[in-house]
Structures are given as structure tokens and as C-alpha cells.
């Protein structure tokens, strides 16, 4: 069984200038039935949800100016995190941005599965099973990246994002194609180089 978080758990402060800024990992065996994911998820994704009560790792590589921030939302917290982003649209003023009704309707159907430091999130869209980008200040700046498809499914997200150690990039538009994260995009080059170096150093030890 593949554990998509395994490489992150093995990171150390000494590996190729990688600094672990914050780590909070709690494993707890669950047995969820996963009715929420009506489009289905793989056994590997089920393993993640059934294994981790908490998974937060924030790493930096100052030499290559890279960072990864993984704040995984456990299965039992999906509804609570959904309610948090829905609070944004409670009593919101009319006509703050273009296509405001569309944004509001989207948020009503989005469930954060990974959260970022600034309040952004990757969200599961219960209408189609896709993973989309929620921009925390959408009602200030307009749609911008809000609603960008990050992955066609949770399985696609975990499989591909894990290959670049869950790196966090400033402009996710530069890191996706029509299906979502595309690790062949130039923006992931430094992350892939870093991972290769980590593996090589592990072999040489």
C-alpha cells in the first residue's frame, strides 16, 4: 500500500538544506466508510484518511527558494472546514466582484481537503469530485485563481503532488494543465532536482 506522505515523514533537517519549520503528525487507525466521496477514491487514498488524524508538515529549502506546506484535513473534519469557508458568504454585500453569484454557489459545494498558511485551500467539489483552488480573498480581488482545477480527483492530486514533496507554488496556474497538477511544468524543476539529490544522498550514506 502506497503512503503518499511517506517521503515527507522521512525528511530531516540535514537533507540538502531542507529545514522542517513545523511538524505535527498524529497517526490513528480509522475505519471510515467514505460515503462522502460519491465519485469513489482509491485504496491508497482510503489509507491516508484511515491512517492520519493529523498531518501537518511545513518544510523549506532556502538555497533553492522552495517550500512545502501540507495541512491535511482528516475525513471527520471535512464538514467543519466546509462550514468555515461558507461563513465568508454569510451576510456578504452584493456586487463586490464580477460573477459573485457563481463564486458563492461554488463555495457552497466545496470542502477543503488541504489548507494553506494564508487561508487558501484545495477543495473537493462535491458536484464532480474535482479538486479546485479556493482563494481566501476572492471577494476582495475577484476570481483570479479561485476555482482553478488543481486535480481531476483526490487520487490524482495525491499521486502527483506527492511526487514533488507537496511543494507550494505562488501561482498554481503555472503548475497545472487541463487535468490538474502537471509535474512536467518548468515550475517544478527545482523541486524534482531537490528530490533527486535527497535520494542520492540517502543511497550514499
Amino acid at each position: 500500500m502506497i503512503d503518499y506522505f511517506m517521503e515527507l515523514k522521512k525528511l530531516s533537517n540535514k537533507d540538502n538544506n531542507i529545514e522542517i519549520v513545523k511538524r505535527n503528525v498524529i497517526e490513528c487507525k480509522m475505519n471510515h466508510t467514505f460515503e462522502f466521496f460519491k465519485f469513489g477514491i482509491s485504496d491508497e487514498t482510503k489509507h491516508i484518511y484511515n491512517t492520519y488524524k493529523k498531518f501537518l508538515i511545513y518544510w523549506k529549502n532556502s538555497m533553492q527558494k522552495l517550500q512545502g506546506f501540507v495541512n491535511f484535513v482528516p475525513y471527520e473534519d471535512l464538514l467543519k472546514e466546509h462550514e468555515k469557508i461558507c461563513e465568508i458568504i454569510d451576510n456578504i454585500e452584493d456586487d463586490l466582484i464580477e460573477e459573485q453569484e457563481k463564486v458563492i454557489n461554488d463555495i457552497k459545494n466545496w470542502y477543503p481537503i488541504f489548507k494553506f498558511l494564508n487561508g487558501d485551500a484545495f477543495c473537493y467539489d462535491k458536484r464532480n469530485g474535482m479538486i479546485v483552488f479556493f482563494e481566501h480573498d476572492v471577494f476582495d480581488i475577484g476570481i483570479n485563481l479561485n476555482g482553478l482545477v488543481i486535480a481531476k480527483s483526490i487520487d490524482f492530486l495525491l499521486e502527483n503532488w506527492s511526487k514533488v514533496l507537496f511543494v507550494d507554488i505562488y501561482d498554481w496556474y503555472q503548475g497545472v494543465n487541463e487535468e490538474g497538477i502537471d509535474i512536467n511544468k518548468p515550475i517544478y524543476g527545482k523541486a524534482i532536482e531537490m528530490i533527486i539529490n535527497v535520494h542520492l544522498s540517502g543511497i550514499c550514506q
Side-chain angles (χ1 to χ4, degrees):
M1 183 69 64
I2 297 172
D3 184 336
Y4 291 116
F5 293 158
M6 183 61 68
E7 292 299 319
L8 281 175
K9 289 195 298 183
K10 293 192 296 185
L11 283 179
S12 71
N13 292 357
K14 297 179 181 179
D15 287 337
N16 296 278
N17 300 290
I18 298 172
E19 174 191 1
I20 304 300
V21 180
K22 189 172 184 180
R23 182 194 297 264
N24 186 357
V25 176
I26 300 173
E27 294 186 22
C28 184
K29 295 299 181 184
M30 308 288 185
N31 190 26
H32 297 299
T33 50
F34 300 109
E35 292 95 341
F36 178 78
F37 297 123
K38 63 181 181 180
F39 294 94
I41 54 176
S42 67
D43 288 341
E44 286 79 11
T45 299
K46 289 177 181 177
H47 172 75
I48 292 293
Y49 280 104
N50 277 329
T51 301
Y52 297 101
K53 177 75 175 175
K54 179 78 176 179
F55 195 97
L56 189 156
I57 287 182
Y58 178 22
W59 63 262
K60 283 187 175 183
N61 183 320
S62 56
M63 179 174 289
Q64 293 180 294
K65 297 182 180 179
L66 293 171
Q67 68 174 15
F69 185 78
V70 183
N71 189 0
F72 170 70
V73 177
Y75 187 81
E76 58 269 30
D77 288 346
L78 290 171
L79 180 58
K80 179 175 68 177
E81 293 299 330
H82 168 70
E83 290 171 347
K84 284 182 181 178
I85 65 169
C86 282
E87 288 176 4
I88 298 172
I89 59 180
D90 290 343
N91 304 312
I92 197 167
E93 295 179 23
D94 294 332
D95 302 320
L96 289 176
I97 59 171
E98 293 184 10
E99 299 186 68
Q100 182 163 314
E101 286 193 15
K102 176 186 182 302
V103 172
I104 290 173
N105 185 58
D106 285 342
I107 291 173
K108 289 179 179 178
N109 289 282
W110 290 355
Y111 291 74
I113 59 172
F114 284 96
K115 301 187 296 180
F116 293 94
L117 279 168
N118 64 355
D120 293 342
F122 287 167
C123 295
Y124 175 83
D125 190 329
K126 72 176 184 180
R127 298 168 294 187
N128 51 32
M130 289 186 173
I131 308 305
V132 294
F133 189 77
F134 166 70
E135 204 152 22
H136 73 284
D137 53 359
V138 60
F139 293 107
D140 296 321
I141 65 173
I143 288 180
N144 194 31
L145 296 182
N146 196 70
L148 179 71
V149 174
I150 298 297
K152 61 183 180 181
S153 67
I154 294 178
D155 300 328
F156 184 98
L157 174 68
L158 287 168
E159 180 181 353
N160 288 280
W161 198 20
S162 64
K163 290 175 182 175
V164 286
L165 281 182
F166 297 86
V167 68
D168 184 7
I169 59 179
Y170 176 73
D171 184 356
W172 283 100
Y173 183 78
Q174 296 183 49
V176 301
N177 59 27
E178 63 276 4
E179 292 190 330
I181 288 176
D182 179 359
I183 63 171
N184 294 310
K185 295 279 188 178
I187 199 166
Y188 297 115
K190 287 184 178 180
I192 291 172
E193 179 184 339
M194 181 191 73
I195 293 165
I196 291 172
N197 290 337
V198 169
H199 287 165
L200 286 176
S201 65
I203 292 171
C204 294
Q205 288 177 356

